[in-house]
Each structure stands twice: as C-alpha cells, then as structure tokens.
Amino acid sequence: MYTPPTALRSVLNPKYLEHVLSDQYDIGSWEECLFWLRGLNDTYRVRTSSGMYILRVYRTEITEVDVQYELSLLSQLKGILGSSVHTDIGEHIEKKDHTEYTVLEAAEGKRVAVMFRYIEGIENNLEDEESCYAFGQSAAELHKAMDQVVLEQPRYELDTKFLIDEPLERIINYIGEKNEASSFLHTFARALKERIGVASKQGLDNGLCHGDMHGNNNAFQQGNQFIHYDFEWAANGWRAYDLAQVKARKRQSGEQKEVLWSALIAGYRSVRSFSAEDEQAVDLFIIARRFWVMGLDVAFIESDMGALDYGSDWLDSFVEEFRDKGIV
C-alpha cells in the first residue's frame, strides 16, 4: 500500500484547484480556496457564495478504489444514521455530473480530490464524564450502523498483518537488520501477535471499524450529536481496536483517565454490547496501535516527512516505550 511515489509530495496550489474544480460543483461561486492543513492528506478550506466547504486531496498512495470504498461507506451510513440521536457523519458532495471525486495530476502522481460539507460544531475534548458517556453512545451507534453496511469493493483488514507484520517490515527495512534495536522489535512484534491471537480466540467483537477513532476525527459536537469524519482507514477489524484509540487520547488528564473511560464504556454499553473480554483487549490494542503508528512514520519519510526527526532519538523513544509494556 505504501510504495513510495516517484516524486516528493507536493502541495497543490489553491488557485490551480479553484481553476480545475470550481465549475464541477454546484456550491456557488468560489471566493477563497485556502490551504488549511497538511496531514496524511491535504485539506483546503473553500469559501463560496453559498457557504464553507472542505476539500480533501488524498496522497498518491490512496487509489480510486480506496476512495470509492470510503465514499460508499459514507453514503450508506448517512442513510442509516438519518434518525440517530447521538451520531452523524461528515458528508461528501456530489459533483454536477453526479460523480463523487476528481483525479488530479500532481508531480508525484495521481491524487484524488473530494469535497465535503463543512462541519459546524465544537470540538469536545472528552474531559468530563457526561461528554464521555455521550461519546460512548455515539461510538456504539456508529458501530451498530456499520453492521448494516454492505460494501463490495476489495479492502484490507485491520488484522495483525496490517497492525504488526507490515509495520515491522517497514521499520526494519528503514533501520536495518544490523541495528541493535532490530532483534528486540522482532521479539516484541512476535509476542504482541501471540497475545492478540490468544485474546481473539475469546470471541472478540469483530466488524466494520472507523479505523482512526482517536478523537480528533470524532469529537466535533453539534447539539447532542457527535460528527464522525475521516473514514480513510475504515475496514473490518476488532471493535476493541477502534475504542483503544479513544482511550489512548492524550488530551485527558492522567488522574481522570480511568473514570472517563468507565463513563465512555457505560455509554457504549447502553447502546450495544461490549464484553468483558473486549474491554480487557483494549489495552493490548493500544500497544498495537502505537506499533502501527511507528510503521506509519516510516512509510512517509522518503516521500513526505524527511529523515531528520526520525533518527536515533525517535527509535530509542519507541523502543523504551515498548520495553515498558512488559510484553517481553
């Protein structure tokens, strides 16, 4: 999935995007296209005579099939969640010709662009029990809706191959087998896989997941509803992995984390079941998520991030973190 592109990732000029895209959407005349955020994808804020919108330009590694999968998921969820009390999603906008995306030619290759409605709301940092309970309800409603979605596009799974094997291969290729950390990382990855294997035999809840429910993509609130967006990593996997990303969010104070987590799980269980075995597996998937993040760092060094911040300090920090987990 992460074959490096032939050129470094470019930031597409907003004027170019306006020139190419402004006539393709029935959203009024464009007044401003502002480069808003450089993340895994590039985000632009578009202001027109009819209001505000968000334009996402995916990186080259995201294919048309990947985008079709995400947009099909969003379309189905929008219909299923139509009467939901606690949950809504970020909605994409069809073009005038009733297609859903545009393929742009960038220096590094083809990049897909999709327009989304602007989410008006307040970012809830989930710092009190009431908010966490409500978010738990919303996460459960989202999973419940995802159980009703039918997708025909091919897709990877959020399994140990995705979370551990592929990241390990990227990490070792980057640091080299002779690096003194390589032996530990191999041992750690093997032990982590074994623990997940044991946990999964206990019948963990498995189904379509958001895949990136770390809070920033899910904690915008409009009234009583949380608005979920950025479904780029959505795929079948363990629901405990989805909720692990919420539990690991860093914006909550340490002494309150367990109380807030208990409130979130109580909210979730008020909507759908989440077994004791699922809850016990959450901390294990927090570790797996961190290992995946380490591999994700490596994936974009050559094409995007540069190596300066991913040297010995970066490596030692992850190794120390993993040693402290007591898995090996």
Side-chain angles (χ1 to χ4, degrees):
M1 183 178 179
Y2 293 104
T3 303
T6 56
L8 295 178
R9 171 176 158 193
S10 62
V11 175
L12 297 179
N13 189 293
K15 291 295 184 183
Y16 162 74
L17 294 172
E18 180 177 352
H19 173 73
V20 173
L21 298 174
S22 59
D23 290 336
Q24 297 187 18
Y25 290 93
D26 188 15
I27 56 175
S29 58
W30 286 38
E31 298 174 353
E32 180 187 50
C33 179
L34 181 64
F35 181 48
W36 195 243
L37 176 67
R38 184 178 180 88
L40 291 183
N41 303 297
D42 292 335
T43 301
Y44 297 77
R45 192 187 69 181
V46 176
R47 187 178 74 243
T48 78
S49 57
S50 66
M52 205 81 76
Y53 301 87
I54 288 293
L55 174 66
R56 174 193 282 180
V57 179
Y58 293 81
R59 60 197 183 279
T60 56
E61 292 87 351
I62 301 300
T63 67
E64 289 186 62
V65 173
D66 294 322
V67 175
Q68 289 165 3
Y69 181 95
E70 180 181 355
L71 299 185
S72 177
L73 169 60
L74 292 177
S75 295
Q76 293 186 55
L77 285 176
K78 193 66 180 178
I80 295 167
L81 291 167
S83 60
S84 174
V85 176
H86 304 286
T87 312
D88 201 356
I89 60 164
E91 185 180 4
H92 68 287
I93 299 172
E94 277 193 347
K95 294 158 60 179
K96 290 178 181 178
D97 62 4
H98 302 297
T99 60
E100 298 179 304
Y101 60 86
T102 301
V103 179
L104 302 170
E105 295 290 345
E108 64 273 28
K110 296 182 184 299
R111 300 181 64 180
V112 180
V114 178
M115 189 74 72
F116 292 86
R117 297 197 183 281
Y118 192 83
I119 299 174
E120 299 282 358
I122 299 172
E123 185 174 4
N124 188 323
N125 287 331
L126 306 182
E127 294 174 322
D128 60 82
E129 292 179 59
E130 182 180 358
S131 294
C132 288
Y133 187 91
F135 184 86
Q137 290 177 304
S138 181
E141 283 188 352
L142 181 64
H143 284 164
K144 192 174 181 179
M146 286 176 135
D147 286 336
Q148 302 175 56
V149 168
V150 178
L151 295 166
E152 298 180 354
Q153 296 89 341
R155 191 68 162 177
Y156 55 83
E157 294 193 3
L158 302 174
D159 54 13
T160 53
K161 176 184 177 183
F162 177 86
L163 295 174
I164 300 173
D165 292 341
E166 292 175 355
L168 177 65
E169 182 179 0
R170 290 196 294 270
I171 294 164
I172 298 302
N173 285 342
Y174 176 63
I175 67 175
E177 284 284 2
K178 293 182 180 180
N179 190 296
E180 61 182 11
S182 293
S183 177
F184 167 77
L185 290 170
H186 276 292
T187 302
F188 178 81
R190 184 166 54 250
L192 182 57
K193 277 185 67 175
E194 289 174 355
R195 291 204 180 192
I196 291 176
V198 171
S200 64
K201 290 178 181 178
Q202 299 177 343
L204 301 182
D205 183 20
N206 194 283
L208 191 56
C209 295
H210 180 281
D212 203 20
M213 197 183 283
H214 54 66
N216 295 349
N217 291 338
N218 307 80
F220 268 91
Q221 195 170 8
Q222 292 179 343
N224 294 323
Q225 288 188 322
F226 283 93
I227 314 300
H228 301 258
Y229 59 98
D230 281 1
F231 285 77
E232 177 189 351
W233 299 103
N236 280 312
W238 293 285
R239 266 31 188 293
Y241 171 71
D242 245 7
L243 294 189
Q245 299 162 52
V246 187
K247 185 176 183 181
R249 61 185 280 114
K250 296 179 179 179
R251 298 188 183 187
Q252 297 170 337
S253 60
E255 61 270 16
Q256 288 292 313
K257 275 187 175 294
E258 287 304 319
V259 172
L260 298 179
W261 171 249
S262 295
L264 191 147
I265 286 298
Y268 189 98
R269 285 175 172 149
S270 73
V271 175
R272 71 185 300 272
S273 63
F274 194 71
S275 70
E277 290 77 14
D278 284 310
E279 187 172 0
Q280 289 169 6
V282 166
D283 287 342
L284 193 59
F285 285 115
I286 289 176
I287 302 171
R289 171 73 173 189
R290 288 295 294 158
F291 196 81
W292 177 80
V293 166
M294 186 183 184
L296 191 67
D297 284 347
V298 172
F300 296 107
I301 288 174
E302 290 187 14
S303 64
D304 198 353
M305 304 298 188
L308 179 62
D309 293 328
Y310 301 93
S312 58
D313 289 345
W314 166 85
L315 177 60
D316 292 344
S317 177
F318 269 110
V319 169
E320 182 180 357
E321 177 184 340
F322 296 149
R323 288 190 187 279
D324 288 345
K325 300 303 181 183
I327 288 183
V328 293

